[in-house]
Coordinates of all heavy atoms in Angstrom, one line a residue:
K51 N -8.1 7.7 4.9 CA -8.8 6.5 5.3 C -8.4 6.2 6.8 O -7.3 6.4 7.2 CB -8.3 5.3 4.5 CG -9.0 5.1 3.2 CD -10.2 4.2 3.5 CE -11.0 3.8 2.3 NZ -12.2 3.0 2.7
I52 N -9.4 5.6 7.5 CA -9.2 5.1 8.8 C -8.6 3.7 8.7 O -9.0 3.0 7.8 CB -10.5 5.0 9.6 CG1 -11.3 6.3 9.7 CG2 -10.4 4.3 10.9 CD1 -10.7 7.2 10.7
I53 N -7.6 3.4 9.6 CA -7.2 2.0 9.6 C -7.6 1.5 11.0 O -7.3 2.1 12.0 CB -5.6 1.9 9.4 CG1 -5.2 0.4 9.5 CG2 -4.8 2.8 10.3 CD1 -3.8 0.1 8.9
G54 N -8.2 0.3 11.0 CA -8.5 -0.4 12.2 C -7.4 -1.4 12.5 O -6.3 -0.9 12.8
G55 N -7.6 -2.7 12.4 CA -6.5 -3.6 12.6 C -5.6 -3.6 11.4 O -4.4 -4.0 11.4
G56 N -6.1 -3.2 10.2 CA -5.3 -3.2 9.0 C -5.3 -4.5 8.2 O -4.7 -4.6 7.1
A57 N -5.8 -5.6 8.7 CA -5.7 -6.9 8.1 C -6.3 -6.9 6.7 O -5.7 -7.5 5.8 CB -6.4 -8.0 9.0
W58 N -7.4 -6.2 6.5 CA -8.1 -6.2 5.2 C -7.6 -5.1 4.4 O -7.2 -5.2 3.2 CB -9.6 -6.1 5.4 CG -10.3 -6.3 4.1 CD1 -10.8 -5.3 3.3 CD2 -10.5 -7.5 3.4 NE1 -11.3 -5.9 2.1 CE2 -11.1 -7.2 2.2 CE3 -10.1 -8.8 3.7 CZ2 -11.4 -8.2 1.3 CZ3 -10.5 -9.8 2.8 CH2 -11.1 -9.5 1.6
I59 N -7.4 -3.9 5.0 CA -7.1 -2.7 4.2 C -5.7 -2.9 3.5 O -5.5 -2.5 2.4 CB -7.1 -1.5 5.1 CG1 -7.7 -0.3 4.4 CG2 -5.8 -1.1 5.7 CD1 -7.9 0.9 5.3
I61 N -4.4 -5.5 2.3 CA -4.4 -6.4 1.1 C -5.4 -5.9 0.0 O -5.5 -6.4 -1.1 CB -4.7 -7.9 1.4 CG1 -6.1 -8.0 2.1 CG2 -3.6 -8.5 2.1 CD1 -6.5 -9.5 2.3
L72 N -6.4 4.7 14.8 CA -7.2 5.0 15.9 C -6.5 4.4 17.2 O -7.2 4.3 18.3 CB -8.6 4.3 15.7 CG -9.4 4.8 14.5 CD1 -10.7 4.0 14.4 CD2 -9.6 6.3 14.5
S91 N -14.6 -0.1 19.1 CA -14.4 -0.5 17.7 C -13.0 -1.1 17.4 O -12.8 -1.8 16.5 CB -14.7 0.7 16.8 OG -13.8 1.7 17.0
L95 N -11.0 -9.2 17.2 CA -12.0 -10.2 17.2 C -11.7 -11.3 18.2 O -12.6 -11.8 18.8 CB -12.1 -10.9 15.8 CG -12.6 -9.9 14.6 CD1 -12.7 -10.7 13.3 CD2 -13.9 -9.3 14.9
I119 N -13.3 -17.7 11.6 CA -12.7 -16.7 10.7 C -11.2 -16.9 10.7 O -10.6 -16.7 11.8 CB -13.0 -15.3 11.0 CG1 -14.5 -15.0 10.9 CG2 -12.3 -14.3 10.1 CD1 -15.0 -13.6 11.4
M120 N -10.6 -17.4 9.6 CA -9.1 -17.6 9.5 C -8.6 -18.2 10.8 O -9.2 -19.1 11.4 CB -8.4 -16.2 9.2 CG -8.8 -15.6 7.9 SD -8.4 -16.6 6.5 CE -6.7 -16.5 6.4
I124 N -4.8 -13.9 12.7 CA -5.6 -12.9 12.0 C -6.6 -12.3 13.0 O -6.9 -11.1 13.0 CB -6.3 -13.4 10.8 CG1 -5.3 -13.8 9.7 CG2 -7.4 -12.5 10.2 CD1 -4.8 -12.7 8.8
I127 N -5.6 -9.5 15.1 CA -5.3 -8.3 14.4 C -6.6 -7.6 14.0 O -6.8 -6.4 14.2 CB -4.4 -8.5 13.2 CG1 -3.0 -9.0 13.6 CG2 -4.2 -7.2 12.3 CD1 -2.2 -9.5 12.5
A128 N -7.4 -8.4 13.3 CA -8.7 -7.8 12.7 C -9.6 -7.3 13.9 O -9.8 -8.0 14.9 CB -9.4 -8.9 11.9
T129 N -10.1 -6.1 13.7 CA -11.0 -5.5 14.8 C -12.5 -5.7 14.4 O -12.9 -5.8 13.3 CB -10.7 -4.0 14.9 OG1 -11.0 -3.4 13.6 CG2 -9.2 -3.7 15.2
G131 N -14.5 -3.2 14.6 CA -14.8 -1.9 13.9 C -14.6 -2.1 12.4 O -15.5 -1.8 11.6
G132 N -13.4 -2.7 12.1 CA -13.1 -2.9 10.6 C -14.1 -4.0 10.0 O -14.5 -3.9 8.9
S133 N -14.5 -4.9 10.8 CA -15.4 -6.0 10.3 C -16.8 -5.4 10.0 O -17.4 -5.9 9.1 CB -15.5 -7.1 11.4 OG -14.3 -7.6 11.7
M135 N -17.3 -1.9 9.4 CA -17.2 -0.8 8.5 C -16.9 -1.3 7.1 O -17.1 -0.6 6.1 CB -16.2 0.2 9.0 CG -16.7 1.0 10.2 SD -18.3 1.8 10.0 CE -17.9 3.2 8.9
G136 N -16.2 -2.5 7.0 CA -15.9 -3.0 5.7 C -17.2 -3.4 4.9 O -17.2 -3.6 3.7
F138 N -18.6 -6.2 4.5 CA -18.2 -7.3 3.6 C -19.4 -8.2 3.3 O -20.1 -8.7 4.3 CB -17.1 -8.1 4.2 CG -15.9 -7.3 4.6 CD1 -15.5 -7.2 5.9 CD2 -15.1 -6.7 3.6 CE1 -14.4 -6.4 6.2 CE2 -14.0 -6.0 3.9 CZ -13.6 -5.8 5.3
F140 N -19.2 -11.2 2.4 CA -18.8 -12.5 2.9 C -18.9 -12.6 4.5 O -18.6 -13.6 5.0 CB -17.4 -13.0 2.4 CG -16.3 -12.0 2.8 CD1 -15.8 -12.0 4.1 CD2 -15.8 -11.1 1.9 CE1 -14.8 -11.1 4.5 CE2 -14.8 -10.2 2.2 CZ -14.3 -10.2 3.5
S141 N -19.2 -11.5 5.1 CA -19.0 -11.4 6.6 C -19.8 -12.5 7.3 O -20.9 -12.8 7.0 CB -19.5 -10.0 7.0 OG -19.4 -10.0 8.5
D142 N -19.1 -13.1 8.3 CA -19.7 -14.0 9.2 C -20.3 -13.3 10.4 O -20.9 -14.0 11.3 CB -18.7 -15.1 9.7 CG -18.2 -15.9 8.5 OD1 -19.0 -16.4 7.7 OD2 -17.0 -16.1 8.3
L143 N -20.0 -12.0 10.5 CA -20.4 -11.3 11.8 C -21.6 -10.4 11.6 O -22.4 -10.2 12.6 CB -19.2 -10.5 12.2 CG -18.3 -11.1 13.2 CD1 -17.1 -10.3 13.5 CD2 -19.0 -11.5 14.5
D176 N -17.5 8.4 8.5 CA -17.6 8.6 10.0 C -16.7 7.6 10.7 O -16.1 6.7 10.1 CB -19.1 8.3 10.4 CG -19.5 9.1 11.6 OD1 -18.6 9.5 12.4 OD2 -20.7 9.3 11.8
I177 N -16.6 7.9 12.0 CA -15.8 6.9 12.8 C -16.7 6.1 13.7 O -17.5 6.7 14.5 CB -14.7 7.7 13.6 CG1 -13.8 8.5 12.7 CG2 -14.0 6.8 14.6 CD1 -12.8 9.3 13.4
L178 N -16.6 4.8 13.6 CA -17.4 3.9 14.5 C -16.6 3.9 15.8 O -15.4 3.5 15.8 CB -17.5 2.5 13.8 CG -18.2 1.5 14.7 CD1 -19.7 1.9 14.8 CD2 -18.1 0.1 14.0
K194 N -21.6 -21.8 9.5 CA -20.8 -21.3 8.3 C -20.5 -22.5 7.5 O -20.0 -23.5 8.0 CB -19.5 -20.6 8.8 CG -18.5 -20.4 7.6 CD -17.3 -19.6 8.1 CE -16.3 -19.4 7.0 NZ -15.2 -18.4 7.4
D201 N -11.5 -20.5 4.2 CA -12.2 -19.8 3.1 C -13.4 -19.0 3.5 O -13.8 -19.1 4.7 CB -12.7 -20.9 2.0 CG -12.8 -20.3 0.6 OD1 -12.6 -19.1 0.5 OD2 -13.0 -21.1 -0.3
F202 N -13.9 -18.1 2.7 CA -15.1 -17.4 3.0 C -16.3 -18.3 3.0 O -16.2 -19.4 2.3 CB -15.3 -16.3 1.9 CG -14.3 -15.2 1.9 CD1 -13.8 -14.7 0.6 CD2 -13.7 -14.7 3.0 CE1 -12.8 -13.8 0.6 CE2 -12.8 -13.7 3.0 CZ -12.3 -13.2 1.8
S203 N -17.3 -17.9 3.6 CA -18.6 -18.7 3.6 C -19.2 -18.8 2.2 O -19.2 -17.8 1.5 CB -19.6 -18.0 4.5 OG -19.3 -18.0 5.8
Ligands
LIG329 C1 -7.2 -13.1 4.7 C2 -8.5 -12.6 5.4 C3 -9.6 -13.5 5.4 C4 -10.8 -13.1 6.0 N1 -11.8 -14.0 6.1 C5 -13.0 -13.7 6.7 C6 -14.1 -14.5 6.8 O1 -14.0 -15.7 6.3 N2 -15.2 -14.1 7.4 C7 -15.3 -12.8 7.9 O2 -16.3 -12.5 8.5 N3 -14.3 -12.0 7.9 C8 -13.1 -12.4 7.3 N4 -12.1 -11.5 7.2 C9 -12.3 -10.1 7.6 C10 -11.9 -9.8 9.0 O3 -12.7 -10.6 9.9 C11 -12.0 -8.3 9.3 O4 -13.4 -8.0 9.1 C12 -11.2 -7.4 8.4 O5 -9.9 -7.8 8.5 C13 -11.4 -6.0 8.8 O6 -11.0 -5.7 10.1 P1 -9.7 -4.8 10.3 O7 -9.6 -4.4 11.7 O8 -8.5 -5.5 9.7 O9 -10.1 -3.5 9.4 P2 -9.2 -2.6 8.4 O10 -8.6 -3.5 7.3 O11 -8.3 -1.8 9.2 O12 -10.4 -1.7 7.8 C14 -11.4 -2.2 7.1 C15 -12.3 -1.1 6.6 O13 -13.0 -0.5 7.8 C16 -12.7 0.9 8.0 N5 -12.6 1.1 9.4 C17 -11.9 0.3 10.3 N6 -12.2 0.7 11.6 C18 -13.0 1.7 11.5 C19 -13.7 2.6 12.5 N7 -13.5 2.4 13.8 N8 -14.5 3.6 12.0 C20 -14.6 3.8 10.7 N9 -14.1 3.0 9.7 C21 -13.3 2.0 10.1 C22 -11.4 1.1 7.2 O14 -11.2 2.4 6.7 C23 -11.6 0.1 6.0 O15 -12.4 0.7 5.0 C24 -10.9 -11.8 6.6 C25 -9.8 -11.0 6.6 C26 -8.6 -11.3 6.0 C27 -7.4 -10.4 6.0

Side-chain angles (χ1 to χ4, degrees):
K51 273 268 185 189
I52 301 283
I53 178 165
W58 189 259
I59 221 173
I61 56 173
L72 305 179
S91 61
L95 295 182
I119 298 172
M120 297 299 288
I124 292 278
I127 295 170
T129 62
S133 304
M135 292 305 285
F138 304 113
F140 57 75
S141 175
D142 295 313
L143 269 174
D176 205 340
I177 297 176
L178 178 65
K194 166 177 180 168
D201 206 353
F202 295 138
S203 292

